[in-house]
Amino acid sequence: MAQVRRAPLADQAAELLLERIRSGEWALGEKLPGETTLAPQLGVGRSTVREAIRQLAGRGVLASRQGAGVFVTALDAPEDWDAVLRKAGVVAVIEARIAIEAEAAALAAERRTPADLRAIRRALDQREAQRSDLEGHVDADTAFHRAVVAAAHNPVLLDLFDTFTPRLREAMIEMLRMRREFGGDEDHEAHADQAAAIADRDAVAASERSRAHLRALRDGLA
């Protein structure tokens, strides 16, 4: 059985426990052995085991249930979003945007307020005005899509969109610079059609137009 060899002990104990969980030693929902069993296996004291369990609970891998013990709630600890997005290709990011924005567009059509609609139309006008400047166009395009997601009135979807923005901006600028063309009439009309569907409270059309636009963007990169 592998044991901890260097400080900080709690960090290493947590990593050893995580490795054992990843290897399938304990199934999802299974109860871990007690501290008196784990401590000698890891070569640390019970207080270090408790701290390691607290670390993994904070990462969503374990959960302590009072009077019942410690249970496995995930089979791995996810990386933070920044690390995930740095590794992800732009196609993967756009596919995630499809999942978020198609649903957000449908919700926006159902929930949008007059203020939301004004914000979407302002963003659409600004997008049209930024057809000649590459970086300005990307930023105006992002602002339009964000206005649609904001109109869904779902803070989780908006937070996810904002998380993607820096990675996507960099990739879009690079892609459009290579293409040497952007802001065409057909592209702008697709965005205008989406805004119109939201204004008409047509959730199906708003979702379909969002999905079609982003799929075309993805397919152009694949």
Side-chain angles (χ1 to χ4, degrees), residues 97-112 120 145-154 157-158 161 194 198 203 206-207 210-211:
R97 279 189 63 191
I98 293 170
I100 292 167
E101 293 188 49
E103 179 62 18
L107 292 174
E110 296 170 355
R111 300 173 178 175
R112 59 87 174 162
I120 289 170
H145 287 278
R146 191 185 191 280
V148 171
V149 178
H153 294 278
N154 182 311
L157 290 176
L158 186 60
F161 180 87
Q194 185 181 356
I198 292 169
S207 180
S210 174
R211 184 177 290 106

Side-chain angles (χ1 to χ4, degrees), residues 176-199:
L176 294 176
R177 186 169 285 129
M178 287 188 297
R179 284 187 179 179
R180 298 182 180 179
E181 59 178 34
F182 55 90
D185 290 343
E186 184 177 349
D187 177 60
H188 186 73
E189 284 302 314
H191 289 76
D193 287 346
Q194 185 181 356
I198 292 169

Side-chain angles (χ1 to χ4, degrees), residues 121-131 136 140 143:
R121 286 170 172 162
R122 280 196 303 270
L124 183 66
D125 290 343
Q126 185 62 23
R127 188 182 185 280
E128 185 173 24
Q130 291 286 350
R131 291 199 189 194

Side-chain angles (χ1 to χ4, degrees), residues 202-213:
D202 189 337
V204 173
S207 180
E208 287 177 350
R209 286 166 186 172
S210 174
R211 184 177 290 106
H213 162 67

